[in-house]
Amino acid sequence: MRRVTRHIKGGCRNKAKIPPGSSNKDSSAELDESLLLTENLTTNLFRIKQFLIDCSDIVYREFLFAQREDIRLVMIYTDGLADKSQLSDQIMRALSLELPLSAPQADITRSGAYHLIKERGVCVHQIKETNRLDEIIEAILSGDTVLLVEGNSTAIINGARGWESRSISEPDTEVIVRGPREAFVENLSTNTAMLRRKLKSHLLKIEALRLGRISKTDVVIIYIKGVANEKLVTEVKRRLRKIDLDGILGSGYIEELIEDNPWSPFPQINHTERPDRMAARLLEGRVGIMVDGTPFALTVPNVFIEYLQAPEDYYERFYFATGVRIIRFAALVLSLTAPSLYVAIITFHQEMLPTPLLLSIAAQRESVPYPAIFEVLFMELSFEILREAGIRLPRQIGQAVSIVGALIIGEAAVRAGLVASATVIVVAITGISSFVFFYSASIAIRMLRFPIMMASAALGLFGLISSIIVLVLHLCSLRSFGIPYLSPVAPISVGDMKDVVLRVPWWAMYNRPRLIGWKNPRRLGPEQKPDFPEVKNRGGAGDA
Amino acid sequence: MNRKIILLMVLILALLFPEGCWSRREINELAIVLGAGLDRTADNKVQLTLQLARPSAFSGGGENAGGEAPRQNNSWVVTGTGDTVLDAENNLALKVSRHIYWSHSIIIVYGESMARGGVRDVSNFFMRNPQPRETSWIFVTEGEAKNVLESHSELEKTSAQSIAFLARNQPGYSIMLEDFQQNLTSPGTNPAAPRIQLLKLGQPQGVGMEERLRHEEVGITGTGIFKDDKLVGWLDMSETRGLLWLHGKVKEGAIIVPSPGQPDKKISLAISRDKIKVNPEYDGETVKFNVNIEFDMELLEQQSNEDLTQPEKIKEIERLAAEEVLEQCNSALAKAQGDYGTDIFGFGEAFHRKYKTEWKKVKGHWNDEFQKARVDIAVEPHLRLTGMLHRRASLKR
Amino acid sequence: MLEDGRISSRQATFLMSTMIIATVVLFVPSITAKYARQDAWLSIIAAILAGLLIARLATTLGLRYPDKSIFEYPEDILGKWPGKLVGLLYVCWFLHLNAEVIREYGSFMVTAFMPETPIIVFILVVVSIAAYATINGLEVFSRANEIFLPLIVGSVIILFILALGQMNFHMLLPMFDAEPEDVLKGAIAPEGWFGEVAVITVLIPYLNKPREAHRVGALAVLTCGGLLLLDAVGIIALFGPNLVEAWLITTLNGARMIIVASFIERLEAVIMIIWVTGGLIKITVFYWAAALGSAQLLKLKDYRPLVVPIGTVLVSLSTLLHPNISDLLQFLTSVWPPYAIIVFEAGLPLLLLTVSLARGIRGARV
């Protein structure tokens, strides 16, 4: 790492070998002289400029200390990352103009000047001192402002960050009717603040980490102490520390680097952009990981059932939630098997159709020149293409695409005798069903549909059932941070069935999920079922 | 290791796919059999007649719906002969461009020639082959089964469906392949099957219908009764009612009896919920059956003027109804027991249930034993309901 | 330990139940009805009682050595080489049994659903899936089975309810018509199947709580017995004893009889689901037992390298065993039950238990 300092001409954009700050701190015992500041401001400045050569977005502002004009000060920051109004008001104006008015002292030493600046001059909330060059560089690039004082080998790092960021808006991917409508944004500190607002307990721990050799992305591990299992927290930290990648631009990078079964098509780490959902998961004993720069927070461990639960289930009445969940399960089964079942039945097991239906499908297919499997594949593929186009296209054109798609696929193909109308129905049902449950799981299901279709085209229902069995076996072999992926269905955990297909009312949901929150299982106080006899007896007096 | 296995499986699947699809049959490669008829030819061969669906004529809905599209034939009837049913099917297949597909065949019609000669040999095919359904309806017809299948239906899409729905509604005695077969295997009973015939129906109305003036539809006209697997005779519709009573299978229907006070006028009683108890008695030589039939009736039609709601009138109606039913039963019994000596009522099984050890002696020649048996029938009708009216509504007061 | 997985008592019960139900439901009613006719239910009750005895015997034996499987403790009981021989016999039995099951599996698919497809296709597919499951280990297929078994039991019950309309319970009369020896003869076949519960001797060391093994065995036999009873009664009420005995796979025909509101028809597919999933679990259990047993006999560290070779053996054995389905059925009806019961399900365990008791040796307590 240290030899890198000699390659300072690397340039800021592609300085892959500039010392990574966080990982370097551990080796501070054997620090190189050349990484420390000297008392000479010019030298210091020169060396910093050497590091940040060709980085045109760095601003160096030299000015004079109001108390003693021979003490030069340099303020260094990155353009766009620092809050300029704060800099000019609280640092420059304070040091170069206002300081003498408040503290007139003629014979101030250089080190005295430093203390004066630190203690009284700089009106910034977060400050930090350092004498190390790498920390200074990192601070500058992270948006902090560094103040160098002539004759001092210590720099003051002012935490006056301020950059343009998106304001909090409604979640795009997890829309609900009833419930909070805020979503995470790209800014990590905003996100942790949102979470802290939901869980105002000292037990909510937010541990910071910096990952990515170049990107130096801030990552935090979030958990509730006493609820989350410590072993899980340690394991999450261990897996995160192992990451050695040049840049982490989204939580998806981390997801793939810490999964238990990297080859599985199923995501084993859940993500959400809803703070309420994240808080709910933390309360169940899960551990969250948030990455700066992405509005999607990760939670582990993840079980498959989570994809069939929507945040709204917990805000709406439980009868409704249960009903909707049954529909979601049906949609899952349909989106995985509907086209395969269709292919299997109409090419192998025609006896399973009622006679009138068989005759009507036979009539539709009379003019179709292809085998059923090609027909279904063709339709499924066009549907997937349409869907992809719908996502990638600018929103205004998206409308047009769906109209054209519906027209072409739904009407023209049938009229032209390319596909049977029954096929269109099946593909449409499949397509719509796959939107019902959580997006990242639906991707896996969408992709798996095709091999299952092939199997049913080759072996009929037998192929279909066999491939489902393989799928179930695979799902059973998955674990997410040690928790079986299909729990609580397999292995069965009767108590947890309260939140799988059923969603029992809150006053009956006594325990946290057994495998995840076993450390502190109880989440409900005693006698929470509402029962207010005094109100009943009063008999509507409250209406007045 | 894990990955290797997956790879292996993918390989196997990949091998299977192009090579595979052995059992694959696209729908438009199928000749869907809707009904089958079996006749015995003069030279003792099996003549198989199949009614095949013509899918292109079935396009429901779509742009043709309600349009004046020319009517097409919904089905195509083909015949083949051979030594066995499969042989006949193979010979028949020479004339059909698609695979013959049995799974949707809902009726099997035995022609008289076939039924008289015994159906055991040919019915085996329908049980052994996985495609035909056990729930197909069985019929016998006077004359050739081929003629029946060649007819077509005005109401349903094909005559096969029309015949099957007739059986499903059970106005007569109807039986499925599986029950027929069960009766064949059981020593305590003999099968019976509904008789169907071509009937000349009313003249179709409207333009362009003149050529249909000679249209004939299939209808149920009675029951063919078997002794073991051979057709021995026929029951007419009234005797068929008797058979149904003795089977406890009268699902619906009516009894017409003279009005108690005005014997020249009639009243109609609809039947519901019949129950039959067969109690055999055996003294070592003769078998006696005490049959008790109990059923509920509803007064649905009255031609007479009298007030039928008095209790004694109701008693009288019940007595008349009982007589009527008794007569139907006796006529059926007279034919089956007296003329043909075949137990189509399952009395043998009732006997078996009560006399386990004695049964072993008589089961080999049960039909003879049955011919000697005495059958006492007691009928117990209950008039429970009188319809929506209390008294006649059309009387001048 | 060769197998790291541990399963709960429930999982073990489920596993054994699926294993037995899968095949018993299909073939047994017709085999039993052949002898006991409408009294088949009596035979089945007799078989359940005998099955309970066998389960008890197996668990009693197994619990004397709660940390060892039947491939290992014969060495402790009989000495090194005789013990190894017994272990080897069991491995061979599991292989043979499995090959028979695989053959049944293929025959069933070919007969009932896809007559044009060569049987080897089904055998290959099922053996590959079973190999995949075996490699994933006991825990994984036990877990998968927790999804399959409720499905299977639910399907059987739903089929029964749907078929109720077509049933005629007069067919079960007269009761006690069959001769006692016929009832017993009819009991032999289901007993051969129930006796497969002896495989619990392999499972005991991998139970979370080995002490509950008695209950596991008994519950498994009772579950399967109950379902088989339901099945047999329903089938006889549907078809009468005469037809039941004629049919190859009676339950399948039973499902084909179902007509509900002229809309739900031909529910053979449900039978296929029961058979394909249940059969697969059964094949996997014996596959796993054979692989594990061979590894234990050979003192290997891992059984997984043996999976593919054993699979090859299974595929070839199952294709070579019988020239046709009549031979298979003949074997299953008359040769298999006595052979399995006398030698492996009751005989050898009894011998081992006697010797172990006589010599007063037992394994570590748990």
Side-chain angles (χ1 to χ4, degrees):
Chain A
M1 288 291 165
R2 241 170 292 126
R3 79 192 155 83
V4 190
T5 49
R6 281 165 224 134
H7 295 267
I8 30 182
K9 286 188 180 161
C12 154
R13 288 274 163 213
N14 45 8
K15 48 171 180 146
K17 289 171 177 174
I18 288 294
S22 54
S23 55
N24 227 17
K25 276 172 198 156
D26 310 330
S27 56
S28 57
E30 33 167 339
L31 253 186
D32 197 317
E33 271 297 297
S34 61
L35 274 178
L36 293 178
L37 288 180
T38 62
E39 297 203 343
N40 187 329
L41 182 67
T42 320
T43 325
N44 288 344
L45 199 56
F46 175 75
R47 283 168 61 189
I48 290 173
K49 282 186 174 170
Q50 281 290 314
F51 261 113
L52 298 175
I53 195 164
D54 290 343
C55 293
S56 61
D57 56 341
I58 309 293
V59 179
Y60 305 90
R61 173 66 163 93
E62 299 186 31
F63 56 98
L64 300 180
F65 188 39
Q67 222 78 1
R68 263 184 68 175
E69 295 224 331
D70 59 329
I71 299 182
R72 272 196 308 150
L73 306 173
V74 183
M75 189 167 75
I76 314 169
Y77 61 90
T78 311
D79 196 15
L81 292 187
D83 182 355
K84 276 189 196 153
S85 69
Q86 209 183 344
L87 294 189
S88 36
D89 273 1
Q90 267 88 28
I91 302 179
M92 271 180 63
R93 182 187 291 269
L95 297 185
S96 60
L97 297 173
E98 292 170 359
L99 204 56
L101 303 174
S102 54
Q105 268 177 291
D107 49 345
I108 192 162
T109 61
R110 284 184 170 181
S111 61
Y114 177 83
H115 281 290
L116 188 64
I117 290 170
K118 194 185 109 189
E119 301 299 341
R120 301 191 56 183
V122 180
C123 313
V124 179
H125 294 287
Q126 303 173 351
I127 64 165
K128 202 176 132 191
E129 289 170 278
T130 184
N131 62 348
R132 286 176 48 177
L133 215 50
D134 54 338
E135 281 181 22
I136 289 172
I137 303 288
E138 204 182 306
I140 294 170
L141 295 174
S142 309
D144 291 335
T145 306
V146 172
L147 189 68
L148 296 177
V149 182
E150 174 137 37
N152 284 287
S153 58
T154 315
I156 302 173
I157 299 175
N158 301 282
R161 300 184 186 183
W163 52 74
E164 295 299 318
S165 68
R166 196 161 61 91
S167 58
I168 296 175
S169 60
E170 283 196 36
D172 287 330
T173 58
E174 295 161 80
V175 186
I176 64 171
V177 176
R178 179 176 168 186
R181 283 167 194 267
E182 53 180 7
F184 287 134
V185 293
E186 282 76 7
N187 189 345
L188 181 60
S189 55
T190 317
N191 292 348
T192 51
M194 280 158 86
L195 212 54
R196 179 68 79 179
R197 270 214 320 270
K198 295 219 181 281
L199 307 169
K200 303 173 196 70
S201 163
H202 66 285
L203 292 174
L204 178 72
K205 305 294 179 194
I206 303 179
E207 293 185 27
L209 221 70
R210 209 162 241 215
L211 297 175
R213 261 186 263 151
I214 294 176
S215 70
K216 306 230 170 61
T217 314
D218 286 310
V219 175
V220 293
I221 302 169
I222 309 173
Y223 59 94
I224 301 178
K225 204 177 166 83
V227 174
N229 178 4
E230 287 96 4
K231 275 191 197 147
L232 177 65
V233 179
T234 327
E235 177 64 20
V236 172
K237 282 188 209 157
R238 191 182 67 82
R239 291 193 192 180
L240 283 178
R241 290 220 180 87
K242 230 188 108 217
I243 293 176
D244 182 14
L245 190 70
D246 53 356
I248 295 195
L249 303 180
S251 48
Y253 284 48
I254 292 190
E255 193 177 326
E256 288 193 2
L257 286 165
I258 61 174
E259 269 175 341
D260 291 47
N261 304 69
W263 289 101
S264 172
F266 288 92
Q268 295 138 57
I269 290 172
N270 208 346
H271 61 80
T272 179
E273 57 168 346
R274 302 185 56 95
D276 54 328
R277 209 169 185 194
M278 174 92 171
R281 295 205 179 129
L282 294 180
L283 285 171
E284 285 182 346
R286 293 178 215 269
V287 174
I289 300 163
M290 279 207 239
V291 181
D292 192 24
T294 174
F296 291 97
L298 305 177
T299 48
V300 292
N302 169 217
V303 292
F304 188 73
I305 294 300
E306 280 178 68
Y307 294 122
L308 298 165
Q309 301 167 333
E312 205 164 8
D313 294 354
Y314 303 97
Y315 303 134
E316 281 292 351
R317 289 195 63 73
F318 60 90
Y319 290 122
F320 171 76
T322 304
V324 171
R325 275 197 186 167
I326 293 170
I327 291 172
R328 261 183 241 135
F329 270 89
L332 171 75
V333 173
L334 272 181
S335 78
L336 188 63
T337 60
S340 321
L341 199 63
Y342 175 70
V343 169
I345 287 181
I346 72 165
T347 50
F348 286 89
H349 309 282
Q350 293 91 350
E351 71 273 6
M352 283 170 56
L353 294 170
T355 312
L357 183 58
L358 173 82
L359 290 174
S360 122
I361 292 181
Q364 293 165 18
R365 286 197 48 84
E366 209 49 8
S367 57
V368 178
Y370 313 109
I373 175 69
F374 288 118
E375 197 186 330
V376 175
L377 273 182
F378 164 71
M379 289 295 288
E380 285 285 339
L381 268 179
S382 9
F383 181 79
E384 292 294 326
I385 291 170
L386 267 176
R387 166 149 64 182
E388 187 60 17
I391 297 173
R392 300 296 151 225
L393 276 173
R395 260 175 216 175
Q396 295 82 346
I397 313 179
Q399 280 280 327
V401 167
S402 47
I403 291 168
V404 170
L407 273 179
I408 289 178
I409 293 186
E411 271 299 306
V414 175
R415 273 176 193 266
L418 282 178
V419 294
S421 27
T423 315
V424 178
I425 297 173
V426 169
V427 171
I429 287 178
T430 318
I432 300 214
S433 311
S434 65
F435 289 119
V436 169
F437 47 96
F438 201 58
Y439 184 68
S440 56
S442 85
I443 297 177
I445 301 278
R446 259 157 69 191
M447 293 301 126
L448 287 172
R449 211 150 68 198
F450 289 93
I452 295 179
M453 254 186 264
M454 292 296 184
S456 1
L459 290 171
L461 259 187
F462 175 74
L464 172 61
I465 301 171
S466 302
S467 36
I468 298 284
I469 291 176
V470 173
L471 187 64
V472 170
L473 280 169
H474 171 70
L475 282 171
C476 285
S477 72
L478 290 184
R479 280 169 178 275
S480 169
F481 282 79
I483 304 297
Y485 198 49
L486 281 189
S487 69
V489 180
I492 294 176
S493 167
V494 178
D496 293 356
M497 287 295 174
K498 284 180 177 178
D499 196 16
V500 177
V501 179
L502 299 179
R503 202 281 278 173
V504 299
W506 271 111
W507 44 260
M509 242 193 268
Y510 302 110
N511 292 335
R512 301 200 160 90
R514 191 174 61 90
L515 288 175
I516 297 162
W518 56 268
K519 190 164 173 284
N520 184 356
R522 198 87 181 155
R523 69 164 141 201
L524 197 70
E527 286 171 33
Q528 286 300 296
K529 183 178 171 192
D531 180 26
F532 303 109
E534 65 277 17
V535 177
K536 278 181 206 153
N537 295 340
R538 221 181 298 146
D543 295 346
Chain B
M1 201 61 200
N2 213 328
R3 239 170 294 149
K4 269 187 217 157
I5 283 291
I6 294 174
L7 201 72
L8 197 74
M9 286 171 53
V10 168
L11 262 176
I12 289 176
L13 267 182
L15 279 175
L16 288 182
F17 187 57
E19 187 69 21
C21 324
W22 296 269
S23 306
R24 201 169 64 90
R25 305 168 291 229
E26 292 291 334
I27 283 188
N28 33 14
E29 295 165 5
L30 296 181
I32 300 161
V33 178
L34 294 174
L38 288 160
D39 292 300
R40 185 74 66 183
T41 57
D43 51 350
N44 203 24
K45 287 201 170 188
V46 177
Q47 175 186 302
L48 175 71
T49 309
L50 295 183
Q51 190 178 79
L52 303 174
R54 290 186 67 235
S56 46
F58 279 89
S59 47
E63 48 266 50
N64 295 344
E68 289 296 308
R71 259 183 83 151
Q72 293 182 304
N73 278 339
N74 288 331
S75 56
W76 180 39
V77 180
V78 208
T79 312
T81 46
D83 292 331
T84 63
V85 180
L86 192 62
D87 188 29
E89 187 201 310
N90 286 340
N91 289 333
L92 186 150
L94 299 175
K95 305 174 223 164
V96 179
S97 58
R98 302 181 177 189
H99 300 295
I100 289 173
Y101 184 64
W102 281 95
S103 289
H104 284 269
S105 158
I106 36 177
I107 58 167
I108 298 171
V109 182
Y110 293 118
E112 192 171 355
S113 52
M114 177 60 77
R116 296 255 180 218
V119 297
R120 183 169 274 132
D121 304 349
V122 289
S123 66
N124 182 277
F125 170 81
F126 296 98
M127 300 297 277
R128 197 175 278 276
N129 188 332
Q131 280 188 4
R133 310 182 162 202
E134 293 90 338
T135 51
S136 312
W137 298 100
I138 302 283
F139 300 91
V140 282
T141 178
E142 278 178 71
E144 269 195 274
K146 181 164 171 274
N147 296 339
V148 172
L149 288 170
E150 276 172 348
S151 73
H152 92 96
S153 164
E154 284 289 320
L155 202 54
E156 302 297 335
K157 297 220 159 142
T158 64
S159 58
Q161 280 166 308
S162 159
I163 300 170
F165 296 160
L166 267 181
R168 197 175 63 192
N169 292 339
Q170 301 194 334
Y173 181 82
S174 44
I175 189 164
M176 286 180 177
L177 174 62
E178 172 263 333
D179 290 318
F180 192 86
Q181 210 66 22
Q182 203 172 293
N183 291 346
L184 270 183
T185 54
S186 162
T189 181
N190 291 284
R195 171 174 67 175
I196 44 175
Q197 275 177 311
L198 284 174
L199 303 173
K200 194 142 165 49
L201 290 190
Q203 298 190 354
Q205 308 288 306
V207 190
M209 288 292 166
E210 288 82 6
E211 78 268 20
R212 292 177 201 277
L213 276 176
R214 296 181 55 228
H215 175 67
E216 286 183 316
E217 284 249 6
V218 180
I220 290 186
T221 58
T223 310
I225 56 176
F226 288 71
K227 187 167 189 178
D228 195 21
D229 69 329
K230 294 183 178 62
L231 178 75
V232 288
W234 306 99
L235 302 182
D236 64 13
M237 253 350 262
S238 153
E239 290 153 358
T240 302
R241 295 296 293 177
L243 173 65
L244 286 173
W245 282 116
L246 289 171
H247 261 282
K249 272 190 182 171
V250 182
K251 291 273 182 290
E252 52 187 35
I255 308 174
I256 317 297
V257 294
S259 190
Q262 295 165 283
D264 53 327
K265 302 265 185 182
K266 303 275 185 196
I267 55 175
S268 320
L269 303 156
I271 301 152
S272 60
R273 267 217 306 269
D274 67 318
K275 223 167 49 183
I276 180 170
K277 256 188 219 143
V278 180
N279 188 21
E281 273 172 32
Y282 187 54
D283 55 7
E285 280 180 25
T286 49
V287 189
K288 189 181 155 212
F289 289 99
N290 294 318
V291 181
N292 187 32
I293 299 173
E294 207 176 321
F295 61 94
D296 293 355
M297 303 184 293
E298 180 179 4
L299 179 63
L300 273 192
E301 193 183 5
Q302 178 190 2
Q303 293 179 342
S304 58
N305 290 335
E306 56 185 324
D307 180 4
L308 294 176
T309 50
Q310 286 136 15
E312 59 270 25
K313 287 276 171 66
I314 289 181
K315 279 250 166 60
E316 181 63 14
I317 294 174
E318 287 178 346
R319 193 186 60 78
L320 287 167
E323 256 171 34
E324 174 72 20
V325 170
L326 198 63
E327 193 177 323
Q328 289 177 350
C329 291
N330 280 334
S331 62
L333 262 176
K335 269 253 173 92
Q337 193 183 14
D339 297 0
Y340 304 115
T342 169
D343 176 12
I344 50 175
F345 308 103
F347 284 171
E349 281 172 4
F351 182 81
H352 179 196
R353 272 170 220 140
K354 192 164 175 192
Y355 298 101
K356 280 185 279 190
T357 41
E358 290 84 346
W359 171 246
K360 292 200 173 101
K361 280 185 282 172
V362 299
K363 81 172 177 185
H365 48 94
W366 172 248
N367 279 334
D368 304 338
E369 209 66 40
F370 174 67
Q371 212 162 4
K372 287 182 277 171
R374 225 181 96 195
V375 183
D376 285 345
I377 304 173
V379 185
E380 243 182 87
H382 304 283
L383 183 61
R384 306 273 189 206
L385 300 163
T386 58
M388 303 271 280
L389 285 181
H390 185 54
R391 296 213 171 85
R392 283 206 67 167
S394 52
L395 279 186
K396 291 194 197 312
R397 276 169 215 273
Chain C
M1 275 289 184
L2 283 161
E3 166 68 57
D4 310 315
R6 288 287 176 280
I7 59 175
S8 69
S9 302
R10 172 167 36 215
Q11 284 174 322
T13 316
F14 275 33
L15 207 56
M16 316 285 298
S17 306
T18 315
M19 198 187 81
I20 300 172
I21 288 171
T23 41
V24 91
V25 163
L26 289 180
F27 293 104
V28 168
S30 84
I31 300 179
T32 306
K34 190 169 161 189
Y35 297 105
R37 305 185 57 79
Q38 66 268 39
D39 287 330
W41 55 276
L42 270 178
S43 300
I44 291 169
I45 290 178
I48 293 175
L49 294 177
L52 285 176
L53 278 180
I54 286 185
R56 184 75 195 189
L57 172 68
T59 45
T60 313
L61 173 65
L63 282 179
R64 290 180 71 80
Y65 303 89
D67 57 340
K68 288 191 177 173
S69 74
I70 187 125
F71 310 111
E72 296 168 309
Y73 51 70
E75 290 186 40
D76 299 356
I77 299 172
L78 302 173
K80 187 160 186 203
W81 291 109
K84 280 232 189 260
L85 182 69
V86 170
L88 187 67
L89 276 176
Y90 267 99
V91 171
C92 293
W93 183 58
F94 284 134
L95 280 176
H96 182 190
L97 173 56
N98 211 1
E100 296 284 352
V101 177
I102 293 169
R103 182 58 188 257
E104 277 172 52
Y105 193 95
S107 304
F108 170 74
M109 289 303 303
V110 169
T111 308
F113 294 104
M114 298 156 99
E116 299 89 346
T117 311
I119 191 168
I120 186 76
V121 174
F122 299 108
I123 292 179
L124 270 180
V125 170
V126 74
V127 171
S128 342
I129 300 179
Y132 174 68
T134 308
I135 281 176
N136 271 313
L138 175 66
E139 243 176 57
V140 169
F141 61 76
S142 307
R143 242 182 264 152
N145 181 50
E146 279 181 284
I147 296 173
F148 297 148
L149 181 72
L151 219 94
I152 293 173
V153 174
S155 312
V156 172
I157 292 173
I158 288 175
L159 285 181
F160 182 85
I161 292 172
L162 289 181
L164 266 179
Q166 310 263 349
M167 287 182 194
N168 176 8
F169 287 97
H170 279 310
M171 300 283 188
L172 291 167
L173 297 172
M175 284 191 200
F176 312 111
D177 191 26
E179 303 294 327
E181 66 259 32
D182 282 339
V183 171
L184 289 183
K185 267 189 207 159
I188 291 178
E191 175 50 27
W193 267 274
F194 286 147
E196 284 166 4
V197 77
V199 79
I200 200 170
T201 47
V202 187
L203 280 179
I204 284 179
Y206 307 109
L207 290 182
N208 270 343
K209 298 173 189 146
R211 285 283 145 222
E212 290 175 5
H214 289 312
R215 222 185 56 194
V216 170
L219 266 180
V221 172
L222 285 177
T223 317
C224 304
L227 275 185
L228 179 60
L229 213 55
L230 197 69
D231 182 40
V233 166
I235 290 296
I236 290 173
L238 264 182
F239 295 123
N242 294 308
L243 269 189
V244 168
E245 129 187 34
W247 258 318
L248 190 62
I249 311 155
T250 350
T251 312
L252 177 78
N253 295 88
R256 286 164 61 121
M257 285 296 297
I258 293 173
I259 302 181
V260 181
S262 58
F263 167 65
I264 306 174
E265 289 178 29
R266 302 277 297 226
L267 291 173
E268 297 142 280
V270 179
I271 297 284
M272 199 208 289
I273 293 175
I274 296 177
W275 176 234
V276 172
T277 46
L280 182 100
I281 291 291
K282 179 166 194 156
I283 292 166
T284 306
V285 171
F286 290 121
Y287 198 146
W288 171 81
L292 185 80
S294 333
Q296 284 177 341
L297 284 180
L298 298 173
K299 303 245 182 283
L300 301 184
K301 284 201 180 62
D302 191 2
Y303 69 84
R304 285 172 178 83
L306 293 175
V307 167
V308 174
I310 286 180
T312 332
V313 172
L314 284 176
V315 170
S316 21
L317 206 57
S318 58
T319 32
L320 296 177
L321 272 173
H322 303 288
N324 54 43
I325 189 154
S326 305
D327 189 57
L328 169 70
L329 272 186
Q330 181 60 30
F331 181 82
L332 285 182
T333 326
S334 35
V335 183
W336 177 259
Y339 153 70
I341 296 171
I342 293 172
V343 183
F344 293 101
E345 292 170 355
L348 277 176
L350 201 61
L351 173 79
L352 288 173
L353 186 64
T354 323
V355 175
S356 161
L357 280 173
R359 292 180 60 185
I361 33 179
R362 57 185 309 147
R365 285 181 179 276
V366 167

